[in-house]
Amino acid sequence: MTTTAAWLRRQTAGIVALALMVTAFVVGRPYFASAAEKEDLAGAYAFTPHSIALPGGSPMQTIRKVNKDYKKIDAWISSVGAAIAMDDLDGDGLSNDLCTVDTRTDQTVVTPAPGDRADRYQPFALNPGSLPMGKAMAPMGCVPGDFNEDGRADLMVYLWGRSPILYLRKADATGLSGDAFQPTELVPGSAGAYSGPIWNTNVATVADFDGDGHSDIFIGNYFPDGSRVLDDTVSGGVEMNDSMSRGFNGGRNYFFRWTGGSGGAQPSATFQRIDGVLTDEVSKGWELGATSVDVDGDQLPELFLNNDFGPDRLLHNRSTPGQLKFAEVEGTRTPWIPKSKTIMHDSFKGMGSDAGDFNKDGIYDFFVSNITTPYGIQESNFHFLSTAKDKADLRSQLSRGKAPWEDYSAQLGTAWSGWGWDVKIDDFNNSGELAIAQATGFVKGSVNRWAQLQELASANDGVVHSPLSWPVVGAGADIAGGQTLAFFAKGEDGRYANISDQLGLAVPVPTRGIATGDANGDGLLDFAVARQFDAPIFYQNTSPSPGAFLGLRLTHEPAAGTGTPADGELPGAGTPVIGAQATVTTADGRTFTGRVDGGSGHSGKRSKEIHIGLGQNVTGPLRVHLTWRDRTGQAHQQDLQLTPGWHRLQLGSQAKEK
């Protein structure tokens, strides 16, 4: 053997490794759009910003009071809570009502969306009435839904320091105000001082998880149960994550199954808490986001959980009526896919997610927000595309514990944006292509604390659970405080560009929740943004030359005894058929998929309609395949022919246009 051959033999392992690295770089090479490409894409979109009316007179804060053990990181602890939702709360047929959590006042506010009908009522804060509250409690999010099934939109507010509160709309309400809602405990408790569970909830979503025809509730908690995070009179009883990548000591997750409800002037709703649905390791992740969506077509929604300090979890729904059952599914590792980009094995800081069919194969894909800050913590967003051949293949793989989705964020140009939070996948100009709106930013101040955070991120897992090991992140600290909203639009080559700067959306204020909906009924999706310790903002969609669209407002048949509103009483919008899906086929054979979403994301909730952009020069008729479950849990499907535009359908054993 020659000397050269012997040397090559000794270096084989290194040569192979180098070849793999080069190949991986070529395959996953990141894409960055040019300035010219961004300007060209931005020409198809336009948004006009409007201030959102809020009630005045409340004292303002820029940081919360926290447990004494958290004092040195009180800005960190105060970094979440801004939230927003869009829905039709007053039954006027438009999703022009907002429910927002303002962290400056720790109030949950209902207010009309800006526009021609903004004078319908005055903004007001929800009042818990006689339900026990305290200074160590603060709202974190607002989820619209019909929780007592009387056809009127209610609100669920989840909090730190207690269990969630349902605000049920009274049947005799003549206008939207604080008096129009009956505050009701989700977890029944005793009268007097609060005696319920001490939860610190950061995410909630609503879906019919067990397929019985009634919407259930998922509650995802962050800090361990019992942690008095916001009680500045006590020291102790709190901790941080026990690992930066495998933290399984967070608050437990809970499911609530609908068991009954009534309307009237004193409405009620009851839910049964179902324990033991998830394993301890899955249940005790540090939850910040969740997406509920039926991906395999059995009309049972899967649940995708996004965890800070640990792997995200995709849970395949195998429930039956009255019996909740989920199974973890995991992505497949290959030499070209890092462990950190594989479903169930990632180590990134999941903050929120959403689902949409990016490649129009009829199977939902996912986008997940992570921390993606150069010279800070440079992880990657996840842009998961399905690799299954069809839904039959998808069902087969899911039943075997496999999750056939692969991350293409680097190749598609969506890998990096900032410290990500909520995300919404929607078609904002009816082009037939989905765009991605993403909230970013963390703590805004004047003293850069990235260096100390990087030191913590590389610390031994044995010490990070103690707040004493964390760097000082108090008043004045800045970590990603100047980052801006991201807006990824798809180019003709299939890759995406962040055009938020070109659209005037790049305001350097940390954002948290994004809500989408058509507030004025013109067929273009508007959106509202919750900003941490700053005023929320509404963006009216004024995109030029939009394409055609199909909009579906899908409601259940009225429950027996709900009746019709008397003269002067607010009408109900109807009970949305959460989880219903529509597959639309145009005359030229293109297909699009949409769903009625019950609250996917971090702290932003879209309106409960299906909106599908169709592109230019589409006049119809459209072939629409609907799938849904009725009140009894019976699964249905029906084919319809509809013209572009808004349609209101009532779903029972059949779909009927109203």
Side-chain angles (χ1 to χ4, degrees):
M1 183 179 293
T2 64
T3 302
T4 301
W7 181 85
L8 287 172
R9 183 177 180 181
R10 291 194 301 272
Q11 303 301 320
T12 298
I15 293 171
V16 170
L18 180 61
L20 288 173
M21 291 172 62
V22 172
T23 304
F25 174 77
V26 172
V27 172
R29 182 170 50 192
Y31 162 74
F32 300 97
S34 68
E37 289 173 315
K38 291 183 177 182
E39 288 290 345
D40 185 56
L41 282 174
Y45 299 90
F47 299 94
T48 302
H50 294 276
S51 298
I52 294 174
L54 299 172
S58 298
M60 294 285 189
Q61 62 182 1
T62 57
I63 203 166
R64 293 192 182 99
K65 293 182 178 180
V66 300
N67 187 291
K68 292 179 181 179
D69 280 15
Y70 283 152
K71 180 58 181 174
K72 65 179 289 190
I73 54 171
D74 55 1
W76 184 294
I77 302 300
S78 301
S79 65
V80 291
I84 199 155
M86 289 185 70
D87 217 291
D88 180 6
L89 300 181
D90 61 358
D92 69 350
L94 295 172
S95 293
N96 54 4
D97 302 297
L98 305 176
C99 181
T100 184
V101 176
D102 188 346
T103 51
R104 299 171 303 168
T105 61
D106 278 341
Q107 289 182 328
T108 304
V109 171
V110 175
T111 184
D116 293 338
R117 293 176 51 78
D119 59 352
R120 287 168 292 132
Y121 57 92
Q122 292 299 309
F124 61 92
L126 291 175
N127 185 348
S130 62
L131 299 188
M133 290 289 292
K135 68 173 186 177
M137 302 174 183
M140 293 286 141
C142 181
V143 185
D146 184 4
F147 296 105
N148 60 345
E149 298 189 352
D150 69 345
R152 298 172 179 84
D154 311 310
L155 298 167
M156 177 177 69
V157 176
Y158 55 89
L159 308 95
W160 278 6
R162 75 176 334 270
S163 58
I165 298 174
L166 302 176
Y167 289 87
L168 307 176
R169 217 193 81 188
K170 301 174 184 177
D172 59 354
T174 58
L176 277 190
S177 68
D179 293 335
F181 294 89
Q182 175 70 44
T184 305
E185 295 281 16
L186 177 63
V187 180
S190 58
Y194 181 72
S195 60
I198 306 297
W199 292 343
N200 298 284
T201 306
N202 268 124
V203 64
T205 188
V206 175
D208 181 6
F209 289 112
D210 67 347
D212 68 350
H214 305 282
S215 291
D216 311 305
I217 297 171
F218 168 80
I219 297 295
N221 293 319
Y222 192 73
F223 291 100
D225 294 1
S227 300
R228 298 185 179 275
V229 176
L230 300 181
D231 191 343
D232 65 332
T233 67
V234 302
S235 177
V238 293
E239 59 183 321
M240 296 300 289
N241 43 297
D242 57 11
S243 169
M244 294 300 287
S245 59
R246 293 184 61 79
F248 304 133
N249 65 323
R252 288 188 180 276
N253 298 328
Y254 296 94
F255 291 87
F256 289 85
R257 181 174 173 267
W258 189 90
T259 55
S262 64
Q266 296 292 322
S268 66
T270 57
F271 289 80
Q272 176 190 9
R273 194 176 96 185
I274 308 296
D275 294 328
V277 177
L278 307 178
T279 65
D280 265 9
E281 185 173 286
V282 174
S283 181
K284 296 176 70 175
W286 292 70
E287 225 81 73
L288 283 174
T291 291
S292 54
V293 58
D294 171 24
V295 299
D296 60 357
D298 63 358
Q299 298 188 43
L300 290 174
E302 276 63 53
L303 188 58
F304 192 23
L305 304 180
N306 314 122
N307 292 314
D308 205 356
F309 313 121
D312 296 339
R313 308 285 187 168
L314 181 56
L315 305 177
H316 183 221
N317 195 338
R318 301 177 183 178
S319 304
T320 55
Q323 183 68 41
L324 291 173
K325 183 179 180 181
F326 294 87
E328 290 182 76
V329 291
E330 59 181 327
T332 301
R333 293 285 312 281
T334 74
W336 322 116
I337 302 177
K339 178 181 178 182
S340 59
K341 286 177 169 281
T342 306
I343 290 177
M344 207 181 82
H345 296 289
D346 73 277
S347 58
F348 292 171
K349 313 301 181 289
M351 307 290 188
S353 63
D354 197 12
D357 185 6
F358 287 110
N359 52 9
K360 301 185 181 69
D361 63 354
I363 297 174
Y364 279 99
D365 310 303
F366 297 99
F367 189 93
V368 182
S369 288
N370 294 307
I371 302 178
T372 69
T373 300
Y375 307 106
I377 295 179
Q378 184 68 300
E379 297 177 343
S380 163
N381 295 317
F382 295 141
H383 197 143
F384 286 120
L385 300 183
S386 168
T387 60
K389 299 175 184 177
D390 50 34
K391 283 193 176 178
D393 179 40
L394 176 62
R395 282 192 290 270
S396 175
Q397 294 198 53
L398 290 172
S399 68
R400 291 182 279 115
K402 301 299 181 183
W405 285 269
E406 293 184 7
D407 173 51
Y408 286 86
S409 59
Q411 299 95 314
L412 293 176
T414 56
W416 299 301
S417 51
W419 190 304
W421 293 93
D422 201 19
V423 58
K424 289 294 176 287
I425 301 168
D426 280 301
D427 185 345
F428 288 94
N429 66 345
N430 298 336
S431 63
E433 298 292 350
L434 297 173
I436 304 164
Q438 184 190 29
T440 72
F442 189 48
V443 175
K444 190 171 183 65
S446 57
V447 181
N448 191 318
R449 293 294 189 187
W450 268 116
Q452 291 81 2
L453 179 58
Q454 290 169 328
E455 184 178 357
L456 172 71
S458 60
N460 190 299
D461 278 353
V463 301
V464 296
H465 73 279
S466 171
L468 296 175
S469 301
W470 285 58
V472 175
V473 185
D478 186 281
I479 301 175
Q483 293 181 351
T484 69
L485 196 74
F487 190 94
F488 290 103
K490 187 177 182 180
E492 292 184 359
D493 62 359
R495 297 182 292 187
Y496 292 76
N498 182 2
I499 57 173
S500 64
D501 190 36
Q502 288 74 15
L503 294 176
L505 304 175
V507 180
V509 176
T511 51
R512 289 295 177 269
I514 300 173
T516 62
D518 182 1
N520 56 6
D522 65 355
L524 286 170
L525 289 180
D526 312 298
F527 70 102
V529 180
R531 305 194 287 195
Q532 192 69 13
F533 292 111
D534 209 322
I537 191 166
F538 180 81
Y539 289 102
Q540 182 183 358
N541 195 333
T542 56
S543 295
S545 304
F549 77 98
L550 180 70
L552 300 175
R553 298 184 174 102
L554 306 178
T555 57
H556 282 288
E557 292 180 333
T562 53
T564 57
D567 290 343
E569 293 179 350
L570 283 178
T575 304
V577 188
I578 294 175
Q581 294 195 13
T583 301
V584 179
T585 305
T586 59
D588 57 3
R590 292 174 299 128
T591 60
F592 305 88
T593 301
R595 76 195 194 279
V596 181
D597 182 23
S600 298
H602 169 59
S603 64
K605 308 301 177 187
R606 59 163 55 86
S607 63
K608 292 177 177 57
E609 299 117 349
I610 295 177
H611 173 276
I612 295 175
L614 302 169
Q616 298 289 341
N617 304 317
V618 176
T619 57
L622 306 167
R623 297 198 305 274
V624 181
H625 182 70
L626 286 179
T627 62
W628 74 95
R629 287 186 186 271
D630 65 20
R631 293 276 196 185
T632 69
Q634 182 67 38
H636 298 277
Q637 54 181 314
Q638 186 173 336
D639 293 314
L640 302 171
Q641 282 201 341
L642 299 174
T643 56
W646 278 110
H647 296 265
R648 186 179 296 275
L649 301 174
Q650 198 171 87
L651 305 184
S653 60
Q654 290 185 326
K656 301 175 183 178
E657 188 152 14
K658 296 177 63 179

